[in-house]
Structures are given as structure tokens and as C-alpha cells.
Amino acid sequence: MKNILLLYGLVFLGATPRLVAQEKSTQTDLRYGKYLSVSTLLDYQGSKDQGVSPLIYRGLLFGGMAELDFEGTRWDIAIDGGVGVGESSVEKVATFFSETTTFFYNGRFLYKFWEKDEGKFDFRAGLHIGGYSSQRVTPAFLNASLAWESINTLFATGKLNWRTSHEQSAGKFLFIRQRAGTRHIKFSTQLSLPMLNSAWRPDYAYIDDFSDGESDVFNNNKLQFGGLRFHWRSDGYYYLLNGNVLRFTYLWDAQRSPGEINRLELSHHQVQLGMMIRLN
Amino acid sequence: MNRGAVICFCLSLLLVSCETLIFDQEATDNPRENFDYLWRQCNEKYSFFEYKKIDWQAMNAKYAAQIKDKMTSDELFKVLFSMLNELQDGHVNLISPFRQSRFDFDLLGPENIDLRVVRENYLKNDYIITGPFQHNVVGADKKIAYVRYNSFEDRVAPAHVAYILSYYRNTQGLILDIRQNGGGSAANIFKILNQLVSEKTLLYNSFLKSGPGKDDFAGPQPAYAEPDENRFKYGKKIAVLIDRGTFSAASFFALGAREVDNMIVIGDKSGGGLGLPNGGQMPNGWTYRFSISQTLSPAGENFENGVPPDIQVILTKSDRDRGVDTVIERAIQELK
């Protein structure tokens, strides 16, 4: 854990000043553009898999995300993917733990429907396809120790943007040199509500029938539609003079798979800190 | 800006509070809840109620009466352990930080082997070890190969079996002794049998629980032994020795051996264990496992209570006292 935190610190302390020091972009409006974003994530996960336990396992995942983002005056299109790895446990049995590797992926397609004050505020809406696929290994569950699942959802989504700016005078912030100029800031909040939710996960027996000598954990997985899922994210963007953007994201995602006996309830509270590198 | 921040803050509180819509309350940890949870899990998922003619509702009435609000963990464990033991299944366990329950399937019949007798008078001092197998020649004229396999947890490589068959190519037959073999990896069944069969052979069919109803099973999932292209073609008769301590993967092996033309099963009924065990956790954190499938012979017979041998032979006290293994001697006769 300490090593991971140290790595996080080094990546950001090392990468940020160099990127900030890049020459100023020739783009005229820094608020719109195409970006490749790289970010680290810290995810507090809670899960209750009723197929194997009535208890909620909680723990931290660490990982990273990459995102391709086109933000235009009308369209807002983003595709991202990433991975988080960590352990979760249940408080009353401290010796039991669940090792989790989760892959996150999203595609968001939004169109601007409303704006105010010459683009200071705008509202965009559209579709969001979001999912995660994970592997959980909980040795204490014996033959049911391994679970693969994939939760995928088609959302209707709405996003509210608020853009502002301020004049920055030359100086230093900590050890980062600051150039004089106009700094743009954007806050956005996006709520996605499910239109179609699916869960592909261990079926009733939970285990694969390995009596034929071959163990394929996917054999007993089943795709089901239904359940509930909410996805909400809020972002803060700080536009640098060189066109790149520092981004802070808080994301909450919670889902409840269909079915009763083997239902999976899962929530993620995720913080991302990233750099959006301008591509145009 | 302040108004926006307040709206955002309130919105975030509202959304995060939606988590209670997603998560059911965590199960309460008290003796009654734990009892109910375990009973219900078994009721919905255990696979042999019908076959074993167990009235699980009656078990609820019997053991629920023993649950007290202020009983100790040890007392609760004993009640739950007793309830699970009604299933008479070696694949059923309850595991707490301080105790683990089990069902002693091997005590349902006599121990049909004396390992000291086997070691001294059959394997002798010059036995060979090949992977997980110990082997030598036995019989008055040393014309029968004897191979002992202690546990299906010990990994088998096809090369181990091929070497043994090649080494004993001039013998009249081979004895494979899996008495007191408590099981392990089912993959080893096929690593052995694929070296022994001459054609694709259906060994058994498995049915996995697919719903809470007593007859809700998916399947069949057939299990085949298929001849390995590189196998050594031994071509002689093979006797498989079993007893009540032959359990789980070893029982699956015995069930499959009954279907192979040149194999004969000798000894006592096996310990069964033909249901695959799953695993799970109770509200107090204890874990459990129980059978969640059924495996039937190709003819549809259910041998969960023990795979019967083709020839029933019980080790006699007088033979044991003389240093003779009745079962091995009978196998030698059959193979000559």
C-alpha cells in the first residue's frame, strides 16, 4: 500500500511541472478541443454478493484511466477505459479478504441543448454506455472463491457545465512556475440514469461444473437484464496556457444486479486526478 | 457561485443517499439469523434431499428449537454442525475461526486396507515412485503390477501413467489401488483414464443445481475419457481397488472405471461424494460448503451414497493378521 501511494506521488510530482511548463498553445479558444487524458484513480468499493455472502466487503482499488475526449461547442464525446486493483474485506472477519481487479470503460455522447451567458453555462444530454468487468477472488469461499462478472448499462445522461475564468499574474505556486494570462476553469456535473442494465455473472450454483476435469469459470455465468444502476460524476477542469488541462473527478457508481438469490450489490466512490493533453 | 456550490453539495448528498436503494441492509448477526440463513441456503441449493429422503423442513423444526438468543458461539456451532450432519455428506463442512465440522464418511464401512500390510508385503522395500504413484510387481510369480495412488490432490502427468504402463508391459494385469484416497482434483481422473481407454468413453453425467426447487437441475454435462494419442497401449485388464475411504474425485474415478471395458472395480462400496461442493459465508462470517450437483452413471444410477464395486471384497481380520490383503489377492486372481 505504501509503495502504491509513493508511486502515485512521484508520478504527479514528476509529471505535472513538466507538462505545465510546455509552451503556450496557439489555439485561440482553450475551452474546446480534443484531448487524450491520463489519470490515476482511487476507488472505494463496497460489494455484497448474495450468491456467496450476506456481508458487505469494502476496500480500496488503485489504478489508472485513459480517455479520449472531444469537447466541442455542440458535441461532447468521450471514450475512456481503465483498471483498478485492490483488496476488500469484511470488518467482522478480518482474516477474510477479496482480491479484486476491475476494468472500467465508458462511452459518452452528448449534444448541447441549452446555453446561457455566451456559453458560460450549458446543458448537454445524450447517451452513456458504461460498464465494468471484474474478477474477485475470495479464498475463504472455497470452490466458489472465483467470480467473474461484467455489468454493462445503457444510460440516458445529462451534463451541466459551468465555465469561468480569471486573470493569473506571473509567479510561483509551490514549485510550479505560473505564467501571466487568462485561466479558464470549468466545473461539470453529469448524472446518468439507466435505460437498460445488464449483469453477466455467476448463475445459481455459482461454481462451474468441473466434474469433467476442465474448469472454466465462464461456463456457469449468465447474462441477465434488469436491476438498477446510477452513475454520477463531477469534474473540475483547470485549463493551462499551453492547452493542456488538469482534471479532478469524483465519481459515484452504484448498481444492483437483477435476481434475488444471487444478487450483486456494488458501489464505487472514485476519485481521479489526471492530465488532459490537448491533441489539436 | 455560492448558490451553485450549495446545489451541487445537496445534489451529491441526495445521490449518495441513493446507495441505500442499491444495498439491502446487511444481515443481522445473531444466532437465530445465522441459523435461518444456513438452513435456507441448504434448502435452496443442496442437491441430494430427494435422493437421501431428508425432510429438511423437519430438520428446521428440530434444530430451530435448540437456538437461544444468548447462546455462545460454541453452542451455536454445535447445533449447526448437528443439523448439517443430518445430510450425511462428506462434502459438507462448517468452518468457524475455532472449529471445523465434518462428516466421517469413511466410518460408514470397515477400513478395507491395512497400509502397513500393503507397504511390507506388496510394495515391499524395492517399490518405485513415479510422480504421485508407488508401484511394484506382486503375486507369487510377480506377473501383476500393483500401483498405489494415495490422493487425487497429488498431480498426475500423462507421462507418469505412460511410464508405468510401459514399465509393466510384460505383466498379466495391473492393480490400481485408490482405497482411502479422499479425492482432490477431478482433472487427474482424466489424466489417468485418457491413458487407459482405447476409445472415447462416457464416464458419467453431471447435473448442476439451477434453481431453488428440489428438481431444478441443469444438464446433463457429460464427462468423457478420450484416448491420448501418445499413450502406451497396455491392453491388459486393470483392477481398481476401492473402499469407504474412496471419496469425491476418487469416487468419480471409480464411477468412470465401471464404464471402461478392460477395468474392473473390486473392494467395498466407495464413500460417495459425487456432488460438487460450493462455498459461502454466513452473517457471522463463518463459512460453509455443501454439494450443489449430482453425478449419475451413464445408465442414470445415483451412487452418492457409495459407488458399488463389481466384486465386493472385504479385508478379513484373519488375512490382516497373516499380513495378507484380501482385496489385492482377489484382484490378482481376477487378473490372471
Side-chain angles (χ1 to χ4, degrees):
Chain A
M1 173 78 104
K2 277 183 184 169
N3 290 339
I4 292 169
L5 287 173
L6 186 63
L7 184 64
Y8 267 64
L10 288 174
V11 165
F12 273 92
L13 292 176
T16 306
R18 278 201 296 277
L19 291 166
V20 172
Q22 287 177 17
E23 286 305 307
K24 183 179 175 180
S25 165
T26 54
Q27 296 298 315
T28 51
D29 192 342
L30 294 176
R31 296 174 301 170
Y32 303 103
K34 291 176 190 166
Y35 298 92
L36 170 65
S37 161
V38 182
S39 53
T40 58
L41 67 84
L42 183 64
D43 186 302
Y44 180 66
Q45 177 187 270
S47 70
K48 184 163 76 162
D49 183 350
Q50 300 196 148
V52 278
S53 175
L55 302 176
I56 300 174
Y57 278 69
R58 296 184 193 279
L60 288 174
L61 305 182
F62 300 91
M65 297 283 285
E67 180 173 327
L68 270 173
D69 193 358
F70 166 73
E71 189 173 357
T73 52
R74 289 184 180 278
W75 286 94
D76 187 347
I77 299 170
I79 297 169
D80 67 40
V83 63
V85 179
E87 282 185 4
S88 52
S89 58
V90 60
E91 201 175 303
K92 68 177 66 177
V93 198
T95 52
F96 286 8
F97 61 90
S98 186
E99 289 175 357
T100 307
T101 304
T102 300
F103 297 94
F104 304 93
Y105 39 87
N106 293 278
R108 289 177 288 271
F109 312 90
L110 297 105
Y111 183 77
K112 185 173 73 181
F113 286 94
W114 170 85
E115 72 171 14
K116 190 183 169 189
D117 294 348
E118 295 178 340
K120 188 176 179 184
F121 295 95
D122 72 42
F123 175 74
R124 301 171 186 224
L127 294 176
H128 170 194
I129 299 166
Y132 40 84
S133 297
S134 62
Q135 174 195 270
R136 286 180 294 117
V137 181
T138 317
F141 297 161
L142 305 167
N143 282 340
S145 61
L146 181 60
W148 272 92
E149 53 223 351
S150 185
I151 311 296
N152 297 289
T153 311
L154 175 65
F155 297 100
T157 189
K159 183 178 183 182
L160 190 62
N161 291 314
W162 171 45
R163 295 180 181 83
T164 186
S165 60
H166 70 98
E167 289 302 320
Q168 173 75 50
S169 53
K172 259 192 166 184
F173 176 69
L174 297 176
F175 53 90
I176 303 170
R177 190 159 52 94
Q178 304 255 341
R179 291 168 182 269
T182 304
R183 295 298 165 83
H184 296 285
I185 296 170
K186 185 177 84 170
F187 297 102
S188 70
T189 189
Q190 179 178 356
L191 176 64
S192 300
L193 297 173
M195 295 164 67
L196 183 63
N197 189 40
S198 71
W200 179 76
R201 59 181 316 274
D203 195 14
Y204 192 83
Y206 210 90
I207 59 171
D208 169 44
D209 187 340
F210 52 89
S211 62
D212 60 353
E214 291 171 13
S215 188
D216 179 354
V217 292
F218 301 132
N219 263 353
N220 192 42
N221 270 28
K222 187 179 178 185
L223 178 65
Q224 287 183 285
F225 293 93
L228 266 180
R229 186 168 169 200
F230 299 106
H231 181 101
W232 172 59
R233 66 181 283 166
S234 286
D235 297 273
Y237 301 83
Y238 186 78
Y239 291 78
L240 304 174
L241 294 178
N242 60 13
N244 296 329
V245 184
L246 287 172
R247 188 182 69 190
F248 174 82
T249 302
Y250 167 73
L251 182 156
W252 173 74
D253 190 303
Q255 80 88 32
R256 177 189 177 104
S257 73
E260 284 297 320
I261 291 172
N262 273 20
R263 188 171 59 228
L264 174 71
E265 297 158 5
L266 192 58
S267 77
H268 293 275
H269 293 273
Q270 194 175 99
V271 174
Q272 296 175 17
L273 189 58
M275 170 66 75
M276 296 169 67
I277 300 161
R278 191 175 179 101
L279 300 177
N280 59 340
Chain B
M1 179 172 175
N2 286 343
R3 186 185 296 171
V6 169
I7 290 170
C8 282
F9 180 71
C10 292
L11 183 65
S12 62
L13 279 182
L14 179 71
L15 284 168
V16 174
S17 69
C18 287
E19 199 151 303
T20 55
L21 290 176
I22 298 291
F23 278 90
D24 281 345
Q25 251 188 343
E26 201 167 36
T28 314
D29 175 14
N30 63 49
R32 181 75 54 193
E33 286 288 332
N34 281 297
F35 173 84
D36 286 344
Y37 183 86
L38 184 60
W39 181 89
R40 197 168 56 248
Q41 285 292 314
C42 285
N43 188 51
E44 290 170 347
K45 294 186 173 176
Y46 184 65
S47 54
F48 292 114
F49 287 127
E50 298 288 295
Y51 171 73
K52 295 188 174 184
K53 297 184 170 51
I54 294 167
D55 184 349
W56 198 236
Q57 289 290 342
M59 295 305 155
N60 188 323
K62 178 179 174 183
Y63 290 100
Q66 298 175 34
I67 299 293
K68 312 285 181 224
D69 289 342
K70 291 190 175 171
M71 66 200 306
T72 64
S73 293
D74 207 35
E75 289 167 338
L76 175 64
F77 189 92
K78 285 175 186 167
V79 174
L80 299 179
F81 169 22
S82 301
M83 179 176 77
L84 291 179
N85 250 11
E86 301 277 3
L87 300 172
Q88 303 246 317
D89 187 336
H91 273 149
V92 176
N93 296 99
L94 179 64
I95 303 163
S96 75
F98 53 91
R99 278 180 77 167
Q100 178 171 335
S101 79
R102 82 251 165 239
F103 174 69
D104 294 320
F105 55 86
D106 52 332
L107 299 183
L108 290 173
E111 188 177 14
N112 217 22
I113 186 171
D114 184 323
L115 290 170
R116 182 70 182 239
V117 169
V118 170
R119 174 73 183 76
E120 285 187 355
N121 300 333
Y122 295 91
L123 281 172
K124 298 192 174 171
N125 284 336
D126 59 344
Y127 72 89
I128 301 167
I129 298 173
T130 303
F133 303 105
Q134 301 165 331
H135 52 95
N136 208 338
V137 282
V138 296
D141 51 4
K142 305 288 184 194
K143 283 290 186 184
I144 303 294
Y146 173 80
V147 182
R148 170 85 190 141
Y149 184 31
N150 286 310
S151 172
F152 272 84
E153 287 183 4
D154 299 331
R155 191 172 176 178
V156 175
H160 297 148
V161 184
Y163 172 81
I164 290 169
L165 296 176
S166 167
Y167 189 80
Y168 296 114
R169 64 170 72 85
N170 296 322
T171 53
Q172 295 174 336
L174 184 144
I175 298 169
L176 177 57
D177 189 351
I178 57 168
R179 289 175 291 175
Q180 297 298 310
N181 183 322
S185 169
N188 290 326
I189 298 169
F190 301 89
K191 285 179 184 157
I192 299 172
L193 288 178
N194 288 351
Q195 301 295 315
L196 302 178
V197 295
S198 54
E199 58 185 16
K200 186 176 178 181
T201 307
L202 176 62
L203 303 178
Y204 45 76
N205 288 306
S206 183
F207 300 82
L208 199 60
K209 203 79 166 59
S210 61
K214 298 288 183 280
D215 297 321
D216 292 344
F217 287 93
Q221 176 172 295
Y224 291 98
E226 297 185 52
D228 188 327
E229 281 180 11
N230 300 317
R231 73 190 189 284
F232 180 83
K233 291 170 184 161
Y234 180 64
K236 319 281 172 48
K237 210 167 178 184
I238 294 169
V240 177
L241 311 188
I242 63 171
D243 70 353
R244 273 296 188 177
T246 303
F247 187 72
S248 192
S251 261
F252 280 98
F253 185 89
L255 184 62
R258 287 163 51 97
E259 304 301 322
V260 180
D261 283 343
N262 64 333
M263 296 181 90
I264 184 167
V265 181
I266 299 174
D268 193 9
K269 197 194 260 192
S270 83
L274 296 173
L276 299 173
N278 69 345
Q281 185 169 40
M282 292 167 49
N284 62 2
W286 298 354
T287 54
Y288 59 82
R289 66 171 193 163
F290 52 73
S291 303
I292 199 159
S293 75
Q294 292 188 358
T295 304
L296 308 183
S297 74
E301 301 146 305
N302 191 335
F303 295 130
E304 169 57 19
N305 286 337
V307 178
D310 296 312
I311 302 171
Q312 172 98 10
V313 182
I314 302 296
L315 180 67
T316 64
K317 185 172 184 308
S318 59
D319 275 355
R320 176 186 281 196
D321 291 346
R322 291 188 297 120
V324 172
D325 187 309
T326 323
V327 188
I328 294 177
E329 293 300 330
R330 178 60 189 272
I332 292 170
Q333 283 176 30
E334 289 294 326
L335 296 176
K336 275 185 175 171

